Amino acid sequence: METLLLGLFYISTLYAFIPGVITRLFGFRVFRHGVSKDNFALTFDDGPDPIYTPKLLDLLELYGAKATFFVVGSNAEKYPELVQRMHEEGHLIGIHNYVHKTNWLMAPATVKKQIQKTTKIIHDITGVTTHYYRPPWGIVNLFDFAKRNETQIVLWSAMFGDWRQRIGADRLTKRMMKKLRGGEVFLLHDCGTTLGANSDAPVQMLIALERVLQEAQQRGLQSIRIDEMIEISHATKKKGAFASSSPVGEKSQHRAKPALTRTKKFIVSLWLLWERIFHFLFQLKTTNQEDPIFYFRPRPYHGETVTMVGDIPLVSGDRVLELHFDNKKLFQIGTRSRSSIHLAIQMIRGVEKTLPELAQYVIEHPELHDVKALYGVTMINRGPEQLGFTVTDLPNSLFAKTSKIYLKFLMSVIHPSGGARLKQSSSKELVPKLLVMPIELLLERYSDGGSHRKLKDDRRKQQEGTSEITEVQETEAVFSTSLT
């Protein structure tokens, strides 16, 4: 039961929860907001619709506005003439799956087929291959990130609830006017037939949109396609980064760290709550409730054989003490650290302080006397060798790939430089590593003078007993074989 719960927890966390959080709150590997003074982007989902899409195209043409249409493949298949008109009038066409279904409820292979099928439909109609993708409801799964070289995931910075008819044109206009400024990416809908939408809602959207386009003209704002917004934003950011890289005096080397944004405070609080739930479900323990560095739990090791210090092998099936760093403590250390090196030093000191407590805990708990090693996976892995850990690469597997995504997300929260650290060229070195240490070394090096000897004797007797049982079993096996 515990294994099943753990599996479900990891699947929901890595496949759905983490990708959803880091895309919506941090914009990880998605485009959702531009950098432009004079341009904003209109995007429309769920179409084309035979009634409302032609009216929308007429309105856009009237005001000289360009937009991006994320079409549902099955609708594009029904109304190819509307897709062709979008293309001919200079609008960008993107993918919104073949059917309007959330990626959380589809296997990665199914999502891939949805995208490929819709891409082919658009290409067959327009002769152009699109690379822009918006998942229904903006919900991504872990494997959507793997398509980064093939597709650009596009979300939004402003959503207005225009799929509900009861909002009405007046309220919708007020909401849109509040967000009418450069760089914004508007999410609107030219079809009301999808789940949760009202079929006549686009009527109200078209009324409100005309008012907004009139106001945009007066302010000198222009609606452009998403690909144009991305290009302008990248060029602006690149120009700004070049200007800011110039030396501005000695004081620039000692800037104060920026205060946490509300978004980051929110995600930290949410993640710490998630961690408490995890600790409760799997009964993780710690040696110091007041000031923990890591939590732990015994479990079987599953993986390739690892040779630890002293040429001691750790093989699949051996019992290990799985370590989980306390994320609250890591965040506190990260916010106080001046650099990544300082962060690593503080963590190593904390671990070094805790290892004697852990050694004593193992000695005092007989249920842990068969544990063979300490085991953990971390991205901050410089320096633990001096403590007695063996650091090795994780096998190239699904676990390694999902761990990398999870740990990068965690790094963006706890690291002094935040997400900027992950954008540096050296961030390629930020890969999850496996850390292991023989329990015998833990006891030898960190337990109080000689108090570990009884446990070592118990372990030796246990191994000798196992060996004797094995010899008896082998003898019985030979004897039985000779009888046949």
Side-chain angles (χ1 to χ4, degrees), residues 145-361:
F145 295 146
K147 309 178 188 74
R148 189 179 186 186
N149 295 330
E150 303 171 20
T151 56
Q152 168 66 63
I153 300 176
V154 179
L155 297 185
W156 57 86
S157 62
M159 179 173 60
F160 311 103
D162 66 305
W163 59 87
R164 293 192 293 267
Q165 184 178 1
R166 61 182 175 83
I167 289 179
D170 292 340
R171 289 172 61 191
L172 190 56
T173 301
K174 290 180 181 179
R175 292 181 180 184
M176 294 171 70
M177 289 294 190
K178 287 181 180 179
K179 288 288 187 177
L180 184 58
R181 53 180 174 264
E184 296 288 345
V185 177
F186 281 23
L187 168 62
L188 296 167
H189 300 79
D190 59 328
C191 180
T193 60
T194 54
L195 180 65
N198 301 129
S199 58
D200 294 330
V203 173
Q204 308 301 317
M205 183 275 293
L206 289 169
I207 296 172
L209 179 60
E210 182 165 16
R211 297 169 182 171
V212 170
L213 289 173
Q214 290 174 353
E215 179 67 20
Q217 274 192 346
Q218 294 177 8
R219 297 188 193 180
L221 291 170
Q222 181 68 34
S223 173
I224 61 176
R225 300 167 18 150
I226 277 294
D227 56 344
E228 296 171 327
M229 179 66 80
I230 292 174
E231 185 177 352
I232 291 172
S233 300
H234 285 176
T236 303
K237 289 179 180 178
K238 187 176 181 180
K239 183 178 179 181
F242 177 78
S244 64
S245 65
S246 301
V248 292
E250 195 172 325
K251 290 183 179 179
S252 64
Q253 300 176 8
H254 303 284
R255 293 173 182 168
K257 287 179 289 186
L260 289 178
T261 63
R262 290 184 179 180
T263 299
K264 193 162 186 177
K265 287 180 180 179
F266 172 76
I267 192 61
V268 169
S269 300
L270 186 64
W271 189 249
L272 294 180
L273 173 62
W274 189 257
E275 183 182 55
R276 286 198 295 272
I277 295 173
F278 180 87
H279 288 179
F280 173 78
L281 287 176
F282 300 105
Q283 299 297 303
L284 269 65
K285 307 293 184 183
T286 183
T287 59
N288 189 337
Q289 290 289 348
E290 288 72 30
D291 189 27
I293 283 292
F294 45 63
Y295 291 81
F296 51 85
R297 67 182 186 122
R299 66 187 303 258
Y301 169 69
H302 299 291
E304 297 178 358
T305 300
V306 177
T307 302
M308 301 181 288
V309 174
D311 292 330
I312 300 174
L314 178 66
V315 300
S316 183
D318 285 342
R319 287 248 295 171
V320 295
L321 208 59
E322 183 182 71
L323 304 180
H324 295 264
F325 281 110
D326 180 72
N327 288 336
K328 183 177 181 180
K329 185 70 173 180
L330 291 183
F331 178 71
Q332 291 171 346
I333 294 174
T335 54
R336 294 195 304 264
S337 299
R338 298 183 297 272
S339 66
S340 57
I341 295 176
H342 190 222
L343 171 61
I345 291 172
Q346 294 299 313
M347 288 183 61
I348 290 172
R349 287 177 179 173
V351 172
E352 189 173 21
K353 177 183 176 182
T354 305
L355 288 175
E357 298 175 2
L358 185 59
Q360 194 61 33
Y361 187 95

